[in-house]
Amino acid sequence: MSLFPAETARLAEQIIALYRARGWMVATAESCTGGLIAGALTDVSGSSAVVDRGFVTYTNDAKMDLIGVTPATLATSGAVSRETALQMAHGALYRSKANVAVAVTGIAGPGGGTADKPVGLVHLALKSRSGLILHREMHYGEIGRDGVRLATVQTALELLMEVVQTAA
């Protein structure tokens, strides 16, 4: 029995199987999900063949110290931005042995939103060693903190599936 919704658990199982078959490894860089993406993947037996490492970079200092997000990016674009998500994915990829890294940063709520960056806004980025870069800007809305976080995990897993299917 998984800790995650059935659809998310099935997707994580498929990712582990497909990545294992290719000999690929994954790294995660997570802010608003606090490690839930890595948790969904490692909920699958045998995931140690696929999951290299996960970075939980909740604060700006952690984003800079652990995965190399630049102070200039945080100052000009903010922690919740396309630019930050892309730098998080890049940093996680090159600070790991992974072939693919996925990164998320957003506003889960219930507070913290603004007119420009409302609750439910999440930026997801994926980068592969082959040079593929994906970005998604999601507006989940005010579906509750747990809802935003679980929806973000699902979208992140969908990105991981997309990259392995694209390479097929």
Side-chain angles (χ1 to χ4, degrees):
M1 180 173 183
S2 176
L3 298 170
F4 296 90
E7 181 183 353
T8 301
R10 277 192 300 276
L11 187 54
E13 288 173 4
Q14 292 171 344
I15 289 165
I16 295 300
L18 289 168
Y19 277 61
R20 183 184 310 132
R22 289 190 178 275
W24 286 5
M25 295 197 83
V26 174
T28 64
E30 303 182 58
S31 187
C32 62
T33 50
L36 290 174
I37 299 163
L41 292 169
T42 59
D43 208 29
V44 178
S45 179
S47 59
S48 61
V50 173
V51 179
D52 179 54
R53 65 193 73 188
F55 300 91
V56 176
T57 56
Y58 212 69
T59 66
N60 286 350
D61 284 344
K63 288 174 182 65
M64 292 184 289
D65 295 345
L66 294 176
I67 52 176
V69 175
T70 66
T73 295
L74 293 167
T76 57
S77 301
V80 178
S81 65
R82 176 183 190 276
E83 295 78 11
T84 295
L86 290 169
Q87 283 190 6
M88 289 172 69
H90 178 85
L93 185 64
Y94 290 102
R95 285 168 175 78
S96 71
K97 296 179 182 183
N99 304 84
V100 177
V102 64
V104 299
T105 183
I107 303 166
T114 65
D116 290 340
K117 296 182 180 182
V119 169
L121 170 65
V122 178
H123 287 272
L124 302 96
L126 179 143
K127 186 168 186 174
S128 74
R129 290 209 187 257
S130 66
L132 178 67
I133 299 170
L134 301 174
H135 169 260
R136 298 285 184 278
E137 178 177 325
M138 303 301 293
H139 294 267
Y140 298 114
E142 294 193 34
I143 58 174
R145 185 173 184 80
D146 291 346
V148 170
R149 295 173 83 208
L150 287 172
T152 301
V153 171
Q154 181 70 24
T155 304
L157 294 179
E158 289 167 1
L159 284 174
L160 288 170
M161 182 60 87
E162 183 177 330
V163 72
V164 77
Q165 290 175 332
T166 300

